[in-house]
Amino acid sequence: MRLSGRIGSVLPGPRSTPFSFWYLVLLVATSITRHLLDPATAQQLLTMASSNTQNLADRPLLSLLTSALVLKGDDDWGLLVPLFLLAAAPLERRVGARWTLAVFAFGHVFATLATELPAGWAQSTGRLPAETAQWVDVGASYGLFATAGALMPILATRTRWWILPLVELAIVGLIFVEDPTAPLTIMTFAGHLIAFHSAILVWWRLLRRRGLVATLRIPDLSVAQRDDAPPMKAST
């Protein structure tokens, strides 16, 4: 296969990986929109879209949805692009778009609630400043780390046991990108760990049932699926 063909097979596509492709397009669109707005308006919209404790109390479902549709800044792309290419798209090629969406939604919602609810308690008891109830907690990283977690059982056993600690080291390293003592940085770090590890635990049994555990080697990340392991389908 030519180099261009190999690159094309790894990139998300509208037919091969519709969830990863169209979600990536949506994030690009909202990022462009953010750049077209004046800084004050853009910041206001980010605050409105955030899944912070105030928004979760006022409009929980809407804030959980909108927080996954926008990025806080352009620096987020340095993390999200590798996660799309190496986690979400390979997972989708193995289990299909609907199951990948389910994995993403699970990780985003569970990690958000698992971090924001304790933050709300800390705010109500004075352990966190009251203004942190309106911090900007947006982005796709919780859901994408969940896709990385769900991909772990599918990896061949030897491959899994050296990739898993690499992902964990990457999550630890992310805390030093911003102020490691800031409450939001610590909360985001906890959210990444929760999303990644909970996805491993939650989806492992279902993947085993479907015959997908330990079936994927690194060179096969762009392969749609094994011939003897059809894509996972929702039960009817």
Side-chain angles (χ1 to χ4, degrees), residues 3-232:
L3 179 59
S4 59
R6 288 183 177 275
I7 294 175
S9 66
V10 172
L11 295 175
R15 292 186 178 180
S16 60
T17 55
F19 167 75
S20 300
F21 178 82
W22 291 112
Y23 184 49
L24 185 58
V25 169
L26 179 59
L27 290 178
V28 170
T30 57
S31 295
I32 293 173
T33 301
R34 176 171 49 82
H35 276 288
L36 294 176
L37 299 172
D38 64 87
T41 302
Q43 184 63 31
Q44 183 179 7
L45 288 177
L46 285 176
T47 303
M48 291 174 60
S50 173
S51 54
N52 55 43
T53 52
Q54 180 172 315
N55 288 345
L56 284 173
D58 294 340
R59 46 184 189 278
L61 295 180
L62 182 60
S63 64
L64 286 169
L65 174 63
T66 56
S67 62
L69 303 181
V70 294
L71 303 181
K72 189 175 181 180
D74 294 337
D75 292 343
D76 292 349
W77 286 108
L79 169 65
L80 299 188
V81 169
L83 285 173
F84 269 109
L85 296 180
L86 302 177
L91 178 68
E92 187 172 357
R93 292 186 184 100
R94 303 295 284 189
V95 304
R98 285 185 295 175
W99 279 104
T100 304
L101 171 59
V103 171
F104 178 92
F106 161 80
H108 176 71
V109 172
F110 183 67
T112 298
L113 295 180
T115 52
E116 286 289 356
L117 293 181
W121 171 82
Q123 291 154 5
S124 66
T125 57
R127 290 173 171 80
L128 278 178
E131 59 267 21
T132 59
Q134 295 182 325
W135 57 23
V136 176
D137 183 15
V138 298
S141 59
Y142 290 170
L144 290 175
F145 269 113
T147 65
L151 188 66
M152 290 299 109
I154 301 176
L155 293 174
T157 304
R158 289 186 179 180
T159 304
R160 180 191 314 135
W161 294 121
W162 65 264
I163 287 188
L164 193 149
L166 284 180
V167 177
E168 292 172 332
L169 284 174
I171 293 174
V172 172
L174 288 173
I175 199 173
F176 298 104
V177 174
E178 299 184 19
D179 180 4
T181 63
L184 184 56
T185 303
I186 296 172
M187 189 190 75
T188 303
F189 165 71
H192 289 156
L193 285 177
I194 291 169
F196 178 65
H197 290 96
S198 63
I200 296 175
L201 296 174
V202 167
W203 298 101
W204 192 300
R205 179 174 295 182
L206 184 58
L207 292 166
R208 183 182 297 279
R209 249 186 247 165
R210 299 287 178 168
L212 290 171
V213 169
T215 61
L216 182 61
R217 297 178 298 115
I218 290 298
D220 298 330
L221 284 177
S222 63
V223 177
Q225 61 194 55
R226 276 181 24 205
D227 292 338
D228 59 340
M232 293 165 60

